[in-house]
Amino acid sequence: MEDLVSIAFSVAITTFVINMIVGTYGIFVKHNVIKKILALIIFSDSLNMLSIAIGFRIAEKYPSPPILTTEPRDPRDLTQFADISVDPLPQALVITAIVIGFSVFAFLLSLAVLYYKYNGTLDIRTSLEVEENEEGFQ
Amino acid sequence: MSVRNRIRMRYKKRDIVVALSLAISMLALAMVLNMGGLGILPPRTLRSLARSIVINTYNPWNTTLTSYSLNAVSAIIWDYRGIDTIFETSVLMAAVTGVAIVLRESHKGRKPGGQGMSIIVKSSTKIVMLLTIIGSLALAVHGHLTPGGGFQAGSAIGATLSLVLVALSLQFIHRIGIDKDTLLKIRYTVLAMILAVALVPLISLVLGYSYAYILQNQVREGSYFSMPSKFFTTPLAGTVFVFNILETITVASAITYIVLTVATYEGKTEE
């Protein structure tokens, strides 16, 4: 059973890393500004998932979320809780990262709207090469 | 060779380089994972920092390190890593200001938008809006007891208001008293309130009662100042409760402001 969990965990982590690489590829290769931003969103969300996965653990019976369900009556309750609880630190950092990511992407998308307004297109090639070699294009 | 072909050739060469470098980075990451650079995953024991946080999040027997919050994630966000979160809220406000500056040419005189969707969609959206807002308020108020907290509740309220914008109309949102200027005012006021609550413990320092720290929640070493830890018999967790509610208002107004700005933007290309 534990081997199965470990194998599934490796598969999940490899998937997140592959997702991040797909996101990097999109950022570099796609010409559309919106598609670049979407690739960046894929990258950051895969990174968040990876952080959450690193905070996971194996516990006796099942791991529990880092939330006490009842007020502890005895110090031993707290030790028992620490024996099954997952790591709360990545979760707290990830929710901060999600909100910062939201604000950054909102700003980037508004810049994309501005780009469309001044160039009439979302293709970044229009402002780079095409203006230099204008006679080659009809 | 024409210019178009030359550009195409250059992109093809660049594609190959990008693919090769990504493959090499994938192999390097796989090697790191295989050699155990991240430790044996998933681990059987909790890391020591996480263990100390989990044990001290609600620990009446260790009063100088506890925060009296049953939810360890909320305790980290607003107590153990509080300054981090306050600056993160400031980043959110900076992004809202940036969106407001970039998309400032909005509809002024004429009324935009249509009359909304059919009566069935409108009625069901009203019911969903009421239920979701009540649910998110419960998330915010119980942020230190159950899963949830300020960010989640604020995002749910913001998503509900954008749903209302699509299904009903912009006039409806204006009619229930939500305006861009009002939202910006609410946002600045609540951010100032968060900073004020963070500075409240300094009052005891000024009055000469005891030493105090910025963002202090409960009793710490060398300081006797403490926010209320219980509301009758319910754990209250002091500043965690207050910050959760304030953060709900902040995030909800920020998301609604961004959605309204984009919805009222006059997007014509310049001739």
Side-chain angles (χ1 to χ4, degrees):
Chain A
M1 181 63 197
E2 224 164 80
D3 290 345
L4 207 64
V5 169
S6 195
I7 289 172
F9 207 77
S10 308
V11 170
I13 282 191
T14 317
T15 318
F16 297 146
V17 173
I18 290 174
N19 239 344
M20 280 160 63
I21 285 172
V22 168
T24 324
Y25 178 80
I27 293 169
F28 280 117
V29 167
K30 287 292 172 187
H31 302 306
N32 193 320
V33 179
I34 301 282
K35 284 183 184 168
K36 274 179 192 289
I37 297 176
L38 284 181
L40 194 61
I41 293 176
I42 289 174
F43 180 85
S44 76
D45 282 351
S46 320
L47 196 58
N48 290 341
M49 293 290 286
L50 183 62
S51 333
I52 291 285
I54 286 173
F56 188 69
R57 67 173 298 184
I58 294 178
E60 201 46 56
K61 198 89 174 168
Y62 300 113
S64 118
I67 295 166
L68 283 160
T69 44
T70 52
E71 284 183 47
R73 305 261 169 238
D74 199 65
R76 263 174 298 159
D77 290 353
L78 287 169
T79 329
Q80 274 174 13
F81 173 61
D83 284 340
I84 58 166
S85 158
V86 302
D87 197 342
L89 205 56
Q91 305 189 2
L93 296 184
V94 160
I95 191 153
T96 314
I98 285 174
V99 176
I100 287 185
F102 163 76
S103 48
V104 167
F105 295 136
F107 185 61
L108 280 180
L109 284 170
S110 71
L111 285 184
V113 169
L114 207 66
Y115 187 89
Y116 183 78
K117 186 180 172 186
Y118 285 115
N119 289 309
T121 174
L122 283 169
D123 201 327
I124 56 160
R125 281 172 300 182
T126 47
S127 57
L128 296 176
E129 288 95 348
V130 177
E131 280 175 14
E132 294 169 12
N133 312 304
E134 226 164 15
E135 71 274 9
F137 291 88
Q138 275 82 37
Chain B
M1 192 189 284
S2 72
V3 180
R4 188 184 286 248
N5 275 342
R6 244 188 2 246
I7 291 179
R8 200 173 288 156
M9 279 287 293
R10 206 201 298 167
Y11 276 114
K12 201 170 278 179
K13 242 185 261 170
R14 202 193 61 178
D15 279 1
I16 293 168
V17 172
V18 167
L20 274 180
S21 57
L22 289 181
I24 288 171
S25 67
M26 174 72 201
L27 281 178
L29 276 168
M31 215 163 89
V32 168
L33 279 178
N34 200 22
M35 286 163 63
L38 288 172
I40 301 157
L41 290 174
R44 296 194 58 89
T45 56
L46 209 52
R47 296 167 185 83
S48 53
L49 174 63
R51 190 177 174 86
S52 104
I53 286 174
V54 162
I55 284 189
N56 285 319
T57 176
Y58 191 101
N59 192 346
W61 301 279
N62 186 3
T63 47
T64 56
L65 278 179
T66 184
S67 69
Y68 287 113
S69 160
L70 292 177
N71 184 347
V73 179
S74 284
I76 293 174
I77 288 178
W78 287 116
D79 195 354
Y80 299 121
R81 298 263 185 281
I83 295 178
D84 187 4
T85 315
I86 282 189
F87 278 109
E88 177 264 323
T89 311
S90 315
V91 168
L92 184 57
M93 199 197 68
V96 167
T97 314
V99 172
I101 289 172
V102 169
L103 302 181
R104 63 183 174 279
E105 292 162 25
S106 60
H107 294 286
K108 282 282 155 55
R110 59 197 178 80
K111 282 191 174 176
Q115 297 301 310
M117 295 186 178
S118 68
I119 185 79
I120 304 169
V121 181
K122 279 186 182 176
S123 311
S124 49
T125 309
K126 281 178 189 168
I127 298 171
V128 168
M129 176 180 82
L130 193 66
L131 292 179
T132 320
I133 288 182
I134 291 173
S136 6
L137 289 181
L139 265 188
V141 172
H142 295 127
H144 55 290
L145 299 175
T146 55
F151 297 118
Q152 295 90 327
S155 321
I157 292 180
T160 315
L161 286 175
S162 23
L163 185 70
V164 169
L165 178 69
V166 173
L168 297 153
S169 59
L170 195 61
Q171 282 96 329
F172 182 83
I173 288 207
H174 285 162
R175 213 187 308 141
I176 59 177
I178 297 172
D179 205 348
K180 268 165 63 176
D181 297 337
T182 326
L183 285 175
L184 213 57
K185 273 176 208 156
I186 291 174
R187 191 150 167 58
Y188 279 112
T189 319
V190 175
L191 192 72
M193 278 164 75
I194 288 180
L195 293 177
V197 173
L199 293 180
V200 157
L202 297 187
I203 292 175
S204 79
L205 186 64
V206 172
L207 294 181
Y209 171 60
S210 78
Y211 285 110
Y213 306 101
I214 293 175
L215 262 172
Q216 189 179 350
N217 184 7
Q218 300 297 329
V219 175
R220 290 286 176 261
E221 201 170 340
S223 162
Y224 302 111
F225 179 82
S226 143
M227 293 280 185
S229 65
K230 286 219 171 188
F231 182 74
F232 298 108
T233 56
T234 314
L236 195 60
T239 49
V240 177
F241 175 74
V242 181
F243 279 139
N244 266 332
I245 288 178
L246 291 180
E247 184 71 18
T248 307
I249 304 171
T250 322
V251 174
S253 59
I255 293 179
T256 318
Y257 183 85
I258 290 175
V259 169
L260 280 186
T261 313
V262 176
T264 58
Y265 178 64
E266 197 157 16
K268 278 183 191 161
T269 52
E270 291 200 341
E271 299 300 325

